[in-house]
Amino acid sequence: MNSSWHENFPSSRKKAIDELLIRGQESAAQLKLVINKSVGFDESMFVEDLVKKVMNSFNSSLYILNGGEFDEVASQIPRVGSPCWDDRKTSKDSGESTGKSAAALKVKDRRGCYKRRKSVHSRTYDSSTLTDDGHGWRKYGQKVILNAKYPRNYFRCTHKYDQQCQATKQVQKIQEEPQLFRTTYYGHHTCKNLLKASQFVSDPSDHDSSILISFNDSTGEHQVSKKPDNSLLATYQTVKQECCNREDDMSMPSYDPATYYNNQGSSSDYLLSPADHDYMSRFDSGDVISGVNSSCTTSSHSLDMDGIMIESGDFDDGVFGFEL
DNA sequence: ACTATTTGACCTAA
DNA sequence: TTAGGTCAAATAGT
C-alpha cells in the first residue's frame, strides 16, 4: 500500500482537514435537516441544492489539501456487464428456454463469476451489537472457515439486481471474543437505499453532537472519540437495539448473525425501511465521511472505534463521501 | 404467492 | 490442491 495520504501533513493542514471533514460537513448536513423540517417541498429542494453545493466545496477543498493523491486499488468485484452479471436474474428463465441440461448450463453460467477479494479494499469493524447500517442486506451464503470456531456469513445488498449495487459484507463472530461480531464491508453502496436523515436526528437543537477525529503524527493512526449522547450516533445505535437480544444464540455455529436485524430493517412498518429512503446524514459503516474527489477510486485508510468505522476517502467513481 | 434463508455444489485465487 | 466466495435449488416464513 502506498503511503498514507495524511502521513506527512503539517499539523495545521491536518487541522484544516479535520475541520472540513468533521465540523464542516456534519454541520452542513445537520443544517439541511433543520431547514428541511421547517420548509415546504419546493424550498426543501432548494435547500437540497444549496447543501450539495456546500458539500462539493468541502470535497474540493479536501481534495486540494490532499494534494490530489489517492491510492488506487483495482477492484475484483464482478461488474455490471461482466459475463456472469447479465444472466444472474434471468438464469432460471434462460435455463428453461434451452435444450441443454440444467447442470451443464449452471456450470457454464457460473464460470468466471468468482473472484477472491484479498486485495480488494475493505472496511472492518467490530461490534458487540448487531447494529444495523441502514442498508438492506440479503444473505447469500455461509461458510465454515478453517481454524475458526464460528462460520462466516455472506451478505449482498438487497439492490444488487434492481440497482446494480455491488456492496457486500461478511459477518463473523470473533473467536477470541465471542461477544463481538466482526463485519467486513466490500464495495460501496451505489443504490438509493439510504435512510431519511430526519429519522436519525432526535433533536436538531443538540449542538453538542460531534465526533472528533484526530490523526496521530508519529504513528499515522487515527484517533476517534464520540460522545455517547451524540444525537446522530445515539439514534443510529438505538434504532436496532431492540432486535439485538438474541446475541446469546450466536453460540450456535449455524446462527446467522445478521438475519434477524436484516429482517427488521426491511420491514415496512419499522423505522428502518431502506427501500424508499433517499437521504442520510449520519456516519454509516461502509459509507464515507471525507468526500475528496469523485474521481478517487479508493484510499485505504480506515479505523475502528467501538463499532463505528470512519474512513478517509474511499470512493467509487462518481460517489461523494456525503450523500445528502 | 411471494420473499428470504439455508445449504450443498460450483468455481477460482492462492 | 484447497480455502473460501458465490450460486441457486430447496426450504421456510409471511
Side-chain angles (χ1 to χ4, degrees), chain A residues 52-162:
Chain A
K52 278 186 177 179
K53 288 177 180 177
V54 172
M55 301 305 281
N56 285 343
S57 295
F58 284 137
N59 290 335
S60 299
S61 301
L62 283 164
Y63 178 71
I64 293 169
L65 284 167
N66 282 329
E69 295 177 1
F70 305 97
D71 298 335
E72 291 189 4
V73 177
S75 174
Q76 296 182 18
I77 299 171
R79 293 300 178 192
V80 176
S82 65
C84 64
W85 174 265
D86 294 336
D87 297 330
R88 280 290 159 264
K89 189 66 177 181
T90 57
S91 58
K92 287 179 185 176
D93 299 335
S94 61
E96 292 168 354
S97 62
T98 66
K100 296 181 180 179
S101 72
L105 266 173
K106 196 163 66 176
V107 170
K108 178 180 180 293
D109 290 347
R110 291 164 70 170
R111 191 161 297 160
C113 294
Y114 304 91
K115 297 290 184 182
R116 287 287 179 90
R117 298 202 261 195
K118 187 174 182 179
S119 62
V120 173
H121 183 61
S122 64
R123 294 90 62 198
T124 300
Y125 77 97
D126 300 338
S127 177
S128 59
T129 58
L130 291 171
T131 48
D132 176 75
D133 53 22
H135 291 282
W137 296 98
R138 183 160 181 174
K139 185 175 178 179
Y140 66 84
Q142 176 175 307
K143 287 291 287 189
V144 173
I145 303 303
L146 192 69
N147 298 324
K149 185 177 179 179
Y150 304 103
R152 181 173 299 164
N153 298 268
Y154 300 88
F155 298 85
R156 64 163 173 82
C157 178
T158 303
H159 302 285
K160 177 177 181 178
Y161 299 118
D162 59 2

Side-chain angles (χ1 to χ4, degrees), chain A residues 137-202:
Chain A
W137 296 98
R138 183 160 181 174
K139 185 175 178 179
Y140 66 84
Q142 176 175 307
K143 287 291 287 189
V144 173
I145 303 303
L146 192 69
N147 298 324
K149 185 177 179 179
Y150 304 103
R152 181 173 299 164
N153 298 268
Y154 300 88
F155 298 85
R156 64 163 173 82
C157 178
T158 303
H159 302 285
K160 177 177 181 178
Y161 299 118
D162 59 2
Q163 296 184 38
Q164 290 74 50
C165 182
Q166 293 292 302
T168 63
K169 73 173 180 180
Q170 299 174 3
V171 180
Q172 187 173 13
K173 201 169 183 178
I174 301 173
Q175 190 163 339
E176 297 74 19
E177 298 178 84
Q179 76 277 13
L180 295 179
F181 305 106
R182 177 157 295 165
T183 302
T184 304
Y185 290 86
Y186 295 93
H188 279 297
H189 286 275
T190 56
C191 58
K192 288 298 181 185
N193 183 30
L194 302 168
L195 297 161
K196 283 178 180 172
S198 58
Q199 291 179 311
F200 282 89
V201 177
S202 56

Side-chain angles (χ1 to χ4, degrees), chain A residues 132 199-200 234-242 270-272:
Chain A
D132 176 75
Q199 291 179 311
F200 282 89
T235 307
Y236 165 54
Q237 291 182 321
T238 55
V239 159
K240 292 290 184 175
Q241 201 164 22
E242 67 179 79
Y270 195 71
L271 174 60
L272 297 179

Side-chain angles (χ1 to χ4, degrees), chain A residues 255-314:
Chain A
Y255 181 82
D256 163 18
T259 298
Y260 186 63
Y261 71 80
N262 275 344
N263 285 341
Q264 296 294 315
S266 59
S267 171
S268 60
D269 58 0
Y270 195 71
L271 174 60
L272 297 179
S273 180
D276 56 359
H277 296 325
D278 293 327
Y279 306 114
M280 62 173 285
S281 81
R282 60 180 172 81
F283 301 133
D284 191 341
S285 54
D287 281 309
V288 182
I289 287 183
S290 71
V292 180
N293 184 290
S294 61
S295 63
C296 170
T297 300
T298 177
S299 69
S300 46
H301 289 68
S302 62
L303 57 102
D304 299 332
M305 55 168 193
D306 190 27
I308 302 298
M309 190 207 67
I310 304 296
E311 185 170 38
S312 302
D314 185 347

Side-chain angles (χ1 to χ4, degrees), chain A residues 16-37:
Chain A
I17 291 175
D18 287 350
E19 191 68 26
L20 288 167
L21 177 66
I22 304 303
R23 299 179 192 282
Q25 291 194 336
E26 185 183 342
S27 296
Q30 291 191 39
L31 176 63
K32 171 181 170 292
L33 297 176
V34 173
I35 296 176
N36 270 351
K37 276 194 167 182

